Amino acid sequence: MHYEFKVKLNKIASGNYPNLLIPEIDWYLNEAQEIFIKQRYGLTNNRKSGFETNQKRIDDLRRLVVQSILPCNAQAFPDLGMTQSYGASLPSDYMFLIRAKAVATKGSCSERFLSCIQSQHDDLNNILTDPFYSPSFEWAETPLIFNMGQNNEVVVFTDGTFIVTNLVLDYIKNPQRIQYPSGVGGSYQLPDGTAVNADANCELAQHTHHEIVDIAVMLASGDMDSPNSQMKMMKTQINE
């Protein structure tokens, strides 16, 4: 990817920028990788199509799709009366949610999977008292919210008649960092002081690498030739 990046950048910039350092190229490649993932997951792309809307979108991100079983702990959620809540810490590599299911039991009933319906905090009071949207073991549904405080949790609710033991999360994970420290003597440091001392290639499917390099070249040429508001606006729209 480094070689392709240099070839394409020099072609665009007429050979005027051959001296980008390897840590700088790594930085552009990783920013491009993040933009690529956000485009394929959301709708900030030319086709306005999100993840799993066609086979190419599925293949673009399939290596980042993982499933994790998270143990739940009962917790007190303020101001919600008798309703009980269960929280689970998100995996450290969590990036975007695809699907969540709660594993629940009620009395002598066997375990069953409940669909988790993502909700907003300010809607909880209405949802938890609405007979059509409140948690229900029989209807196999429960509200889910992200409680992104210190514990970085996802929280589901019950009506007090059933228990949630686990959450099964399908999600897109953070990709491994693209890095080539062996090109600069074996190691370098990131701006935050983190040591980079092992080479790592892009873990997305091979067919995506050219597209990621193209984005990286666009970012680099934009920064060097015209660091203007148009480039910043494009990045803002993708990242929102």
Side-chain angles (χ1 to χ4, degrees), residues 179-194:
Q179 51 194 39
Y180 181 45
S182 62
V184 287
S187 67
Y188 65 82
Q189 281 193 336
L190 296 176
D192 64 2
T194 302

Side-chain angles (χ1 to χ4, degrees), residues 1 4-5 7-9 12 28-29 32-33 36 207-222 231 234:
M1 294 179 82
E4 184 180 355
F5 175 89
V7 169
K8 289 183 174 180
L9 182 62
I12 289 175
Y28 280 118
L29 288 172
Q33 178 176 239
F36 179 87
H207 73 268
T208 69
H209 294 187
H210 299 303
E211 298 174 68
I212 292 171
V213 170
D214 287 341
I215 296 172
V217 169
M218 178 188 66
L219 294 172
S221 60
M231 176 64 70
M234 181 275 293

Side-chain angles (χ1 to χ4, degrees), residues 67-239:
Q67 185 176 90
S68 185
I69 300 175
L70 312 177
C72 289
N73 297 307
Q75 57 182 223
F77 207 90
D79 303 325
L80 292 180
M82 295 300 293
T83 302
Q84 294 179 344
S85 61
Y86 293 83
S89 296
L90 288 170
S92 59
D93 62 354
Y94 172 86
M95 191 175 190
F96 295 124
L97 178 67
I98 299 174
R99 182 181 64 159
K101 296 178 292 182
V103 182
T105 60
K106 180 175 181 177
S108 60
C109 298
S110 58
E111 284 186 342
R112 70 182 308 181
F113 288 107
L114 311 186
S115 297
C116 296
I117 311 301
Q118 189 170 348
S119 307
Q120 298 180 15
H121 285 70
D122 59 357
D123 291 334
L124 272 179
N125 287 336
N126 291 332
I127 290 173
L128 294 174
T129 57
D130 189 311
F132 296 104
Y133 298 102
S134 59
S136 171
F137 186 84
E138 288 71 25
W139 289 98
E141 288 187 348
T142 179
L144 173 148
I145 62 168
F146 285 85
N147 191 19
M148 308 301 279
Q150 292 182 347
N151 295 328
N152 205 27
E153 287 184 327
V154 61
V155 180
V156 295
F157 299 87
T158 83
D159 59 2
T161 66
F162 62 92
I163 297 171
V164 176
T165 56
N166 294 287
L167 280 178
V168 182
L169 235 61
D170 295 338
Y171 64 96
I172 294 175
K173 69 170 186 170
N174 284 305
Q176 70 180 12
R177 189 176 188 275
I178 302 168
Q179 51 194 39
Y180 181 45
S182 62
V184 287
S187 67
Y188 65 82
Q189 281 193 336
L190 296 176
D192 64 2
T194 302
V196 177
N197 49 32
D199 292 352
N201 200 7
C202 178
E203 66 176 315
L204 274 73
Q206 185 68 38
H207 73 268
T208 69
H209 294 187
H210 299 303
E211 298 174 68
I212 292 171
V213 170
D214 287 341
I215 296 172
V217 169
M218 178 188 66
L219 294 172
S221 60
D223 282 348
M224 292 182 290
D225 288 334
S226 54
N228 55 26
S229 59
Q230 184 176 358
M231 176 64 70
K232 294 177 181 177
M233 181 66 71
M234 181 275 293
K235 291 167 67 174
T236 300
Q237 291 173 343
I238 290 172
N239 286 322

Side-chain angles (χ1 to χ4, degrees), residues 15-43:
N16 292 327
Y17 303 103
N19 296 320
L20 273 176
L21 301 176
I22 283 177
E24 294 172 328
I25 297 175
D26 282 352
W27 190 275
Y28 280 118
L29 288 172
N30 282 286
E31 185 174 7
Q33 178 176 239
E34 183 176 339
I35 289 173
F36 179 87
I37 293 169
K38 289 177 178 178
Q39 284 180 330
R40 270 51 183 181
Y41 174 77
L43 300 177

